Amino acid sequence: MSDLHLSWVESANSAETPFPLNNLPYGVFSVGDGLPRCGVAIGEMILDATLLEGEGLIRMDGAPLFDAPSWNKLMSRPRADWDALRARLIDLLAQDGDPALKDNADLRARALVPMEGARLHMPFAVAEYTDFYAGRHHASNVGTMFRGPENALPPNWLHIPIGYNGRASSVVVSGTEIRRPWGQLKGPNDDAPRFAPSQRFDIELEMGAIVGTPSDGPITVDEADSHIFGYVLLNDWSARDIQAWEYQPLGPFQAKATATTISPWIVTAAALEPFRADTPAREVELLPHLRDCGPMLYDIDLSVTLAPEGGQAEEIARTNYAEMYYSAAQQLAHHTTCGCPMRTGDLLGSGTVSGPERGNRGSLLELSWGGKEPLELSGGGTRSFIEDGDTLGLHGAARGNGFTVGFGPCTGKVLPALPDPYARG
Amino acid sequence: MSDLHLSWVESANSAETPFPLNNLPYGVFSVGDGLPRCGVAIGEMILDATLLEGEGLIRMDGAPLFDAPSWNKLMSRPRADWDALRARLIDLLAQDGDPALKDNADLRARALVPMEGARLHMPFAVAEYTDFYAGRHHASNVGTMFRGPENALPPNWLHIPIGYNGRASSVVVSGTEIRRPWGQLKGPNDDAPRFAPSQRFDIELEMGAIVGTPSDGPITVDEADSHIFGYVLLNDWSARDIQAWEYQPLGPFQAKATATTISPWIVTAAALEPFRADTPAREVELLPHLRDCGPMLYDIDLSVTLAPEGGQAEEIARTNYAEMYYSAAQQLAHHTTCGCPMRTGDLLGSGTVSGPERGNRGSLLELSWGGKEPLELSGGGTRSFIEDGDTLGLHGAARGNGFTVGFGPCTGKVLPALPDPYARG
């Protein structure tokens, strides 16, 4: 495992910062009333990539990459360009690199913006969003609750990464407030459905893989791995009661379309390279086109915090991305088997990342066992599902030798449902 | 019901042309090696909207509408602008309208392009694609085959329009050849799944509703109706065997992502206005937010043709869009209940439009009753599902008093599966 690489940006040189020179994640930021711009996190600062491109310090062949507030243009370029930009950024920010920025006080003052006080925006335009169900522990837990332990895993689960198409328009960046949804609900003992606010609103702790390289037909797992530009944390907000009524026979729909929150920084696959991890042992052998061909998960510690209205955030779950049964590369390969075209900006949710123990569960549904065993909060009170005013946060970090590759928090505060969305005019 | 409106474009004045002055559907076309441009179908000609805008004959406030080969810019504008453009086009093309184009021989020669010989492209950029399951006969037929007649309709079916998110990247325009997909298959008597070409590849005869006006929260059925810009025919190609293995518990995924073909002309809601039709009587009352508030289906005759390789096309099914249980407005309203943002260019498939009789069924699955009663082709041979080389066509027309509002065909030829998509390098 590699060591901390030193930068002349001092705040990037601690073991605790999520944004050392080893990371260099990509985001979009604005300051005050300024327009959103592309930026790179380094320590406590943001390097203004749009400005640096304008000044000629980073330059790729062809059209400008950073004239729009999104990283899609870079993502759509060949992988060699991804590597070239990363190498150039490292050179400009390393203690012993190109002094063009380091030794130019005026440019430095303009190009480095304190992260505190900057506003973060969606780092890329989501083309389409797909959500998987690829965590063994999560699928077993949910299946046990709904179908009993004998039928916990559907028959196809060990053979293909089960997924469904989600709603790209609902993806929002960390910090966006989430309005509790209304929906059609019908409990098992109700005579008829009713339209009401969701009472079982929940989180799902996931990783999101971002497709850079488009494809127009079936691709291998190896190819899929090389098409992934980077990763974010992803909270797939889920209305369990809406889902229970709607999901047969065609899957979740409105239950999952209120919002999906992602963390604001794209951590590149390149930055995660030292943390590659194998998928778990296979219970049944996968068909050749989905078979593992190298470590394609990552050793990323994940946790969930909950802060009640006006209260302190406390950790309610802790797990690791390497718990997943299928890698994002396997999911992406499966996604293309029928010839489905994939595009730059496609976002693939991993599925809820739970671990083997109760404290490792990535949803309140699992943590409270469907509401039967409410979670005790250390600040007082209990939770079966989200209450109005709660702020939920996801956190992720890969830990190297004296350094951390972090994601920045992925948070959202849940607001009360609107009184009645149809009582208008 | 209104009568034929006469145009100085003579070929637009027959009772049989799908494109009289009453219609004026919007498409994107190119001629020879020329770039794709926005066009309007009139009789046997295409009116070049990009050229007319450049010449100042159609002009809306603000930025140009037709400088890109898609109708999304117009679709994103207020509904009043949709009406203003339509009124202006009618004025320019009517026998007794503004003579600015009619009497300018040079401009007329440049602005009117013969449809024969022009190539048609996707008329709009699909933002996201949602497919519903809102045909009572189709749902009953499929449910009966899979779960028996007692459990044909899922319990939620009469209360909400069941839908799932599809894959926008797979939507293609009529004429695009469709490659038979591979997928993971497991028959009920198989020990293990295998990866193989789909053997039960099928069509679904649907209408597609196109969202013009975006929304950011719950909208009423009335509002939803006014947000719909227009309609196309839609063939939701479906691999039944891939679906059978993958669809539990999260719905269809790769079975539906090979391709979805749409007809090339957007028939506007305005052109369909004289053909509004009620939904069928409700078997159980809908909750207030989904209740019917006016006729929001349309009386559109629909048919399916099949032409074997080298053979003649023959009609294999005939039905009507007014058979649907839910209107597109109800589907769109339901789509927003949880707060899901809808965007300009969102495409909503109606679900398969089947009628009460065998000859009214909009899929081969239903026509051949799951392959148990193969369809006899009049040219010889039978069909349970699509065979390689078959060209499938959807056709749609609303019939007025001496005129027809047509959609243009929605066709696709099915090519053999690739030998093995993973036997590369």
Side-chain angles (χ1 to χ4, degrees):
Chain A
M1 190 161 290
S2 56
D3 297 311
L4 175 67
H5 298 167
L6 294 177
S7 169
W8 52 263
V9 178
E10 278 304 324
S11 58
N13 294 337
S14 84
E16 287 75 41
T17 178
F19 307 124
L21 189 61
N22 308 58
N23 192 351
L24 298 183
Y26 302 144
V28 169
F29 73 102
S30 64
V31 179
D33 296 334
L35 291 174
R37 310 163 70 81
C38 292
V40 182
I42 178 77
E44 295 168 8
M45 309 298 281
I46 300 172
L47 181 66
D48 185 334
T50 302
L51 183 143
L52 279 198
E53 185 176 54
E55 297 279 342
L57 259 72
I58 50 178
R59 183 170 284 169
M60 312 285 282
D61 291 341
L65 287 180
F66 306 118
D67 55 343
S70 114
W71 286 81
N72 292 61
K73 281 191 188 179
L74 176 68
M75 286 156 52
S76 70
R77 304 265 298 223
R79 200 177 161 86
D81 288 356
W82 305 353
D83 295 341
L85 178 73
R86 181 169 169 84
R88 178 62 180 148
L89 289 169
I90 290 173
D91 195 29
L92 283 171
L93 289 166
Q95 224 167 42
D96 54 359
D98 181 339
L101 177 61
K102 175 187 177 187
D103 290 356
N104 184 334
D106 166 64
L107 181 60
R108 223 170 50 218
R110 289 184 294 126
L112 281 171
V113 176
M115 196 176 290
E116 192 176 349
R119 185 174 161 208
L120 298 174
H121 305 265
M122 279 289 294
F124 69 105
V126 180
E128 297 189 66
Y129 166 48
T130 308
D131 193 35
F132 286 88
Y133 183 61
R136 179 78 165 92
H137 302 288
H138 172 71
S140 299
N141 287 339
V142 173
T144 299
M145 273 183 262
F146 290 171
R147 293 179 291 272
E150 305 75 24
N151 301 308
L153 278 193
N156 50 21
W157 201 94
L158 295 170
H159 299 278
I160 39 175
I162 296 297
Y164 66 97
N165 300 297
R167 184 74 199 175
S169 67
S170 71
V171 181
V172 296
V173 73
S174 176
T176 306
E177 293 180 325
I178 308 299
R179 180 69 67 178
R180 179 184 297 275
W182 286 66
Q184 204 175 106
L185 316 174
K186 182 178 175 297
N189 303 320
D190 295 343
D191 289 336
R194 66 191 196 283
F195 190 65
S198 169
Q199 297 305 308
R200 293 164 71 92
F201 197 50
D202 198 359
I203 55 157
E204 291 196 336
L205 165 61
E206 305 193 18
M207 296 290 301
I210 301 163
V211 174
T213 311
S215 55
D216 272 315
I219 61 173
T220 65
V221 173
D222 250 338
E223 287 167 337
D225 186 65
S226 76
H227 287 195
I228 296 171
F229 180 78
Y231 291 82
V232 288
L233 305 174
L234 185 151
N235 181 357
D236 181 37
W237 302 93
S238 298
R240 306 294 179 193
D241 39 8
I242 296 176
Q243 186 171 348
W245 174 233
E246 76 176 359
Y247 92 111
Q248 286 292 3
L250 298 186
F253 184 53
Q254 289 301 283
K256 299 282 195 169
T258 300
T260 297
T261 302
I262 63 170
S263 53
W265 297 105
I266 304 172
V267 175
T268 61
L272 291 170
E273 193 60 34
F275 305 102
R276 282 185 178 270
D278 285 311
T279 47
R282 297 292 154 197
E283 298 180 36
V284 295
E285 194 174 36
L286 291 168
L287 286 173
H289 70 288
L290 288 178
R291 212 162 276 167
D292 295 281
C293 49
M296 293 181 186
L297 288 173
Y298 298 96
D299 176 9
I300 301 170
D301 290 332
L302 300 170
S303 65
V304 181
T305 55
L306 187 154
E309 180 86 64
Q312 291 295 310
E314 65 177 87
E315 186 175 294
I316 60 171
R318 170 163 288 279
T319 180
N320 191 289
Y321 178 49
E323 294 282 0
M324 301 308 286
Y325 195 80
Y326 294 100
S327 66
Q330 286 169 317
Q331 293 172 333
L332 177 54
H334 173 62
H335 211 317
T336 68
T337 46
C338 74
C340 178
M342 302 301 294
R343 299 191 294 197
T344 299
D346 281 342
L347 174 64
L348 274 56
S350 60
T352 307
V353 188
S354 291
E357 306 296 330
R358 179 172 180 183
N360 307 140
R361 296 174 187 164
S363 67
L364 286 166
L365 177 70
E366 293 165 88
L367 286 164
S368 75
W369 207 250
K372 290 182 183 155
E373 301 168 16
L375 195 68
E376 305 273 345
L377 299 184
S378 61
T382 61
R383 284 294 179 280
S384 290
F385 293 96
I386 298 170
E387 297 194 2
D388 290 343
D390 285 351
T391 297
L392 279 299
L394 311 185
H395 313 270
R399 295 179 204 286
N401 191 12
F403 73 100
T404 301
V405 168
F407 285 77
C410 175
T411 66
K413 178 176 177 175
V414 173
L415 305 181
L418 293 170
D420 178 346
Y422 293 102
R424 287 169 303 146
Chain B
M1 188 162 291
S2 56
D3 297 310
L4 175 66
H5 298 166
L6 293 177
S7 170
W8 51 263
V9 179
E10 277 304 323
S11 58
N13 294 338
S14 84
E16 287 75 41
T17 178
F19 307 124
L21 188 61
N22 307 56
N23 191 350
L24 298 182
Y26 301 144
V28 170
F29 73 103
S30 63
V31 179
D33 296 334
L35 291 175
R37 310 161 72 79
C38 291
V40 182
I42 178 75
E44 295 169 8
M45 310 298 281
I46 300 172
L47 181 66
D48 185 334
T50 302
L51 183 141
L52 280 198
E53 185 176 55
E55 298 280 342
L57 259 72
I58 50 179
R59 183 170 285 168
M60 313 286 282
D61 292 339
L65 286 180
F66 306 119
D67 55 342
S70 114
W71 285 81
N72 293 61
K73 281 191 188 177
L74 176 68
M75 287 156 52
S76 71
R77 304 264 298 227
R79 200 177 160 85
D81 289 357
W82 307 352
D83 295 340
L85 180 72
R86 181 169 169 84
R88 178 62 180 147
L89 290 169
I90 288 174
D91 196 28
L92 282 172
L93 289 166
Q95 225 169 41
D96 54 359
D98 182 339
L101 177 60
K102 175 188 177 186
D103 291 354
N104 184 335
D106 167 63
L107 182 59
R108 222 170 50 217
R110 289 183 292 126
L112 281 170
V113 177
M115 198 177 288
E116 192 177 348
R119 186 174 161 208
L120 298 175
H121 305 265
M122 279 290 292
F124 69 106
V126 181
E128 297 191 64
Y129 165 49
T130 308
D131 193 35
F132 286 88
Y133 182 60
R136 178 77 164 89
H137 302 289
H138 172 72
S140 299
N141 287 337
V142 173
T144 301
M145 273 184 262
F146 290 171
R147 293 180 291 272
E150 305 75 25
N151 302 308
L153 279 194
N156 49 21
W157 201 94
L158 294 170
H159 300 278
I160 39 175
I162 297 297
Y164 66 97
N165 300 298
R167 184 73 199 174
S169 68
S170 72
V171 181
V172 296
V173 73
S174 176
T176 306
E177 294 181 325
I178 307 299
R179 180 68 69 180
R180 179 184 297 275
W182 287 66
Q184 206 176 107
L185 316 175
K186 182 177 174 297
N189 302 319
D190 296 342
D191 289 337
R194 66 190 197 284
F195 190 66
S198 169
Q199 296 304 308
R200 293 163 72 91
F201 195 50
D202 199 358
I203 54 157
E204 291 195 338
L205 164 62
E206 304 192 20
M207 295 292 301
I210 302 163
V211 174
T213 312
S215 55
D216 272 317
I219 61 174
T220 65
V221 173
D222 251 338
E223 288 168 335
D225 186 64
S226 76
H227 287 195
I228 296 171
F229 180 78
Y231 291 82
V232 288
L233 304 174
L234 185 150
N235 181 357
D236 182 38
W237 303 93
S238 297
R240 306 293 179 192
D241 40 6
I242 296 175
Q243 186 172 347
W245 174 232
E246 77 177 357
Y247 91 109
Q248 286 290 2
L250 298 186
F253 184 54
Q254 290 300 282
K256 299 281 195 169
T258 299
T260 297
T261 302
I262 62 170
S263 53
W265 297 104
I266 304 172
V267 175
T268 60
L272 291 170
E273 193 61 34
F275 306 101
R276 281 186 178 271
D278 284 312
T279 47
R282 298 291 154 199
E283 299 181 36
V284 294
E285 193 174 36
L286 291 169
L287 287 174
H289 70 289
L290 289 178
R291 212 163 279 169
D292 295 282
C293 49
M296 293 182 186
L297 287 173
Y298 298 96
D299 177 9
I300 301 170
D301 289 331
L302 300 170
S303 65
V304 182
T305 54
L306 186 154
E309 180 88 63
Q312 291 295 311
E314 65 177 89
E315 187 176 293
I316 60 171
R318 172 163 287 278
T319 180
N320 190 290
Y321 179 48
E323 294 282 0
M324 300 309 285
Y325 195 81
Y326 294 101
S327 66
Q330 286 169 319
Q331 293 171 334
L332 176 54
H334 173 61
H335 211 319
T336 67
T337 46
C338 74
C340 178
M342 302 301 294
R343 298 191 294 197
T344 299
D346 281 343
L347 174 64
L348 274 56
S350 60
T352 306
V353 188
S354 292
E357 307 296 329
R358 180 172 178 183
N360 307 140
R361 297 175 187 163
S363 68
L364 286 166
L365 177 71
E366 293 165 87
L367 286 164
S368 74
W369 208 251
K372 288 182 184 156
E373 302 168 16
L375 194 68
E376 305 274 346
L377 298 184
S378 61
T382 62
R383 284 295 178 282
S384 291
F385 292 96
I386 298 170
E387 296 194 2
D388 291 342
D390 286 350
T391 297
L392 278 298
L394 311 185
H395 313 271
R399 294 180 204 286
N401 190 13
F403 72 99
T404 301
V405 167
F407 286 77
C410 176
T411 66
K413 178 176 177 176
V414 173
L415 305 181
L418 293 170
D420 178 347
Y422 293 103
R424 289 168 303 150

